[in-house]
Amino acid sequence: MFDLPPPSRRRFLGATSAIGLSGVIGPTGVIGSGTTLSARAADGGGVVPVDWSRLGSYAGADAAGTRVSTVLAGSARYLIGPWYAATYTHYLPDGHIDLRGTDERAVRLPAMAAVAATTALVTGVYDPRTLSAANATVRTRNLIRTLAARHRANNTDAGTRWGGGWQTALWAYYTALSGWLFWDRLDTTARDHLVAMLVWEADRLTTGDSVHLIGTSGDELYMTRRNGTVVTPGDSKAEENSWSAAALSLAASMMPGHPGAARWTRRNAELLLAAAARPADLTGGTTVNGIRLSSWLRGTNIADDGTLENHARLHPLYMVAFDQSLYQGFVFGLANRAAPRAALHNIRRTYAALVDKPFPLPGGGTTPIYRPGSAEIHYPEGNDWGTHFPFYFGNFDLLVSLTGQDRGITPPAAEWERLHNTAQLSLMSRFTDGRTYGAAGENTYYGREHRIGAMAGQSYLTLFLARNATGNRLRWR
């Protein structure tokens, strides 16, 4: 375990960490009397910091807020406490922590941990019972600055750099979101690295026909082409499109004056629409964010009934992966802007398929995916990821409720959020360190605790915008 930076970096990090939360985060979760973000001019390559004072506050005292803040507080405490201490034991000669690789385990996991920790710290949700907020701030900053420094936009060492891969836009999104939330606690070098990283990944998604999710050769934008050809059987591209759109949405929100902002904004909407495209979208005259679906779309990723396939099965866990699209409400909201309506495309249809669509049971009869009156989930064709995922669904329920995408659906999403997130709290109650999972079979993903933390952070930020003291700041254009 280590909490202090090496002597060569202690002057900056120590001075900032000594501030801790006093004078930086007020009792209502608003950046307060210290150096305020609202007082800062845009810097770091044109980044406009979050103006927390203009956004107002959110106490998180309502029922859903209490549940989600409890999940976030526990998850952040575990990730930046025991997990960090066991994973990062020394600094490298350049003053960064050792990520111990360049793959998903080495990069995505700490990036998700940073989302949980930064959100908990800047909103006042952080629980300091086992690690002070000041030391948590130092650790979180270590994650952010190291991840950004190791991206290929800032790093020429082929052995330690990451970026330009199938999933790296998502890793960059997590890292840059954490950095944006922590902007006032980062030095100029870390800020410049964050900007270079995010711009590089965003530009990659808007240039070149051979780039993943862009062209018609190589990797695909759609599972099924409009002529009916199934290009990637049992493997919807919905999730990939949504996470790539996330990086574009964040780049456009953080750097609205950047020369690439218009390109990022347009491609963001295109990927959101492609993610949730269904066969019925290929005909008719629907236009969303200036994009005529019937003429722009070249294929589909979900069925007309709102279901989708992944891992060669109808997969509810990937249906709720549209949470990444709905998070755009808070991303643009933090910039005091409206999110593209494309993020809501076909969400209601997919949610209705979770709640209302009947599926046969092995012993006879039928049931929806959401078992009536229960937190139990029915997986019509099985679940290859494990047995316990209540927060995956409770997170999506909350987002659907806050964005009004459950109109006409009974029971409403708020009731399902209560059931699923109460089950999540029950899982967490088994442990004292804030984690969720025990036996490996409950969730076989090696980043299972980090995934909970990242979802909790983004859910809470959505609540912060939706139930803000200044009014609902989730807007769609």
Side-chain angles (χ1 to χ4, degrees):
M1 180 185 297
F2 64 103
D3 296 325
L4 295 177
S8 63
R9 297 191 59 81
R10 196 168 291 166
R11 182 176 181 183
F12 168 72
L13 297 179
T16 303
S17 64
I19 295 173
L21 296 189
S22 62
V24 180
I25 298 180
T28 58
V30 182
I31 292 183
S33 59
T35 301
T36 63
L37 293 180
S38 59
R40 290 178 181 267
D43 56 5
V47 170
V48 179
V50 179
D51 187 347
W52 296 97
S53 62
R54 184 173 181 177
L55 288 174
S57 62
Y58 168 64
D62 56 280
T66 299
R67 285 187 286 270
V68 175
S69 63
T70 301
V71 176
L72 174 59
S75 183
R77 181 164 60 87
Y78 171 76
L79 293 170
I80 210 64
W83 176 79
Y84 182 104
T87 306
Y88 306 111
T89 57
H90 65 283
Y91 285 93
L92 295 174
D94 64 358
H96 293 291
I97 57 178
D98 185 0
L99 296 178
R100 302 190 298 182
T102 60
D103 60 2
E104 180 179 1
R105 189 187 296 266
V107 180
R108 180 179 176 178
L109 271 57
M112 290 191 290
V115 171
T118 51
T119 304
L121 286 163
V122 302
T123 59
V125 169
Y126 181 73
D127 179 355
R129 78 177 79 171
T130 52
L131 182 71
S132 71
N135 280 333
T137 296
V138 172
R139 290 181 174 188
T140 304
R141 187 167 47 229
N142 282 339
L143 295 177
I144 296 168
R145 65 186 183 86
T146 300
L147 288 164
R150 295 295 184 251
H151 188 270
R152 62 184 301 156
N154 307 304
N155 181 16
T156 59
D157 182 355
T160 62
R161 71 186 184 190
W162 64 275
W166 167 67
Q167 200 185 85
T168 59
L170 178 64
W171 309 349
Y173 163 79
Y174 287 139
T175 305
L177 173 61
S178 302
W180 196 29
L181 296 174
F182 245 39
W183 199 251
D184 69 324
R185 304 174 205 192
L186 301 177
D187 64 14
T188 300
T189 299
R191 292 176 180 181
D192 289 345
H193 283 165
L194 281 166
V195 168
M197 171 196 69
L198 186 58
V199 168
W200 194 96
E201 292 286 348
D203 282 348
R204 181 177 69 90
L205 294 168
T206 55
T207 55
D209 287 340
S210 62
V211 178
H212 179 60
L213 299 179
I214 299 304
T216 56
S217 62
D219 294 305
E220 295 289 334
L221 191 65
Y222 309 99
M223 184 179 83
T224 305
R225 291 179 180 165
R226 64 183 305 147
N227 65 3
T229 302
V230 180
V231 186
T232 57
D235 182 19
S236 169
K237 301 291 108 179
E239 185 188 27
E240 291 98 313
N241 294 350
S242 292
W243 77 44
S244 293
L248 294 164
S249 73
L250 183 60
S253 297
M254 287 177 62
M255 297 171 278
H258 192 280
R263 288 185 289 109
W264 302 336
T265 299
R266 169 73 182 195
R267 178 58 71 178
N268 176 46
E270 290 175 345
L271 291 182
L272 289 168
L273 294 172
R278 65 191 184 101
D281 291 332
L282 301 179
T283 59
T286 301
T287 297
V288 182
N289 291 124
I291 300 170
R292 188 179 177 88
L293 303 186
S294 61
S295 59
W296 186 83
L297 292 173
R298 291 291 178 268
T300 61
N301 281 305
I302 70 174
D304 276 328
D305 63 8
T307 60
L308 61 76
E309 294 181 0
N310 219 316
H311 291 209
R313 69 195 69 205
L314 188 154
H315 214 314
L317 282 178
Y318 289 90
M319 292 168 68
V320 299
F322 281 118
D323 60 349
Q324 195 67 72
S325 297
L326 295 182
Y327 291 143
Q328 294 212 4
F330 87 76
V331 170
F332 281 93
L334 288 175
N336 196 32
R337 297 173 59 191
R341 189 163 292 277
L344 306 179
H345 186 59
N346 284 333
I347 296 296
R348 182 187 174 282
R349 190 170 299 275
T350 292
Y351 196 68
L354 291 168
V355 174
D356 292 334
K357 183 177 174 60
F359 292 91
L361 288 168
T366 63
T367 182
I369 292 170
Y370 281 14
R371 304 296 294 265
S374 168
E376 183 182 352
I377 301 297
H378 172 61
Y379 296 91
E381 298 177 9
N383 178 13
D384 55 340
W385 280 113
T387 58
H388 290 66
F389 297 86
F391 193 60
Y392 286 57
F393 296 94
N395 165 65
F396 192 58
D397 299 329
L398 178 64
L399 298 170
V400 167
S401 178
L402 294 176
T403 56
Q405 297 307 295
D406 59 342
R407 293 185 303 275
I409 298 174
T410 302
E415 176 59 18
W416 291 112
E417 181 277 325
R418 182 186 66 80
L419 288 168
H420 293 142
N421 285 345
T422 297
Q424 165 65 22
L425 294 175
S426 180
L427 288 181
M428 297 181 78
S429 70
R430 301 175 298 171
F431 310 103
T432 60
D433 58 6
R435 60 195 166 101
T436 295
Y437 290 107
E442 292 178 353
N443 182 339
T444 61
Y445 177 45
Y446 46 72
R448 58 190 189 170
E449 299 293 347
H450 309 74
R451 183 80 173 95
I452 296 295
M455 288 190 295
Q458 293 172 99
S459 278
Y460 196 79
L461 288 169
T462 306
L463 276 165
F464 185 95
L465 271 295
R467 297 180 176 171
N468 200 270
T470 62
N472 187 349
R473 308 302 289 263
L474 298 180
R475 294 179 289 129
W476 310 90
R477 61 172 174 81

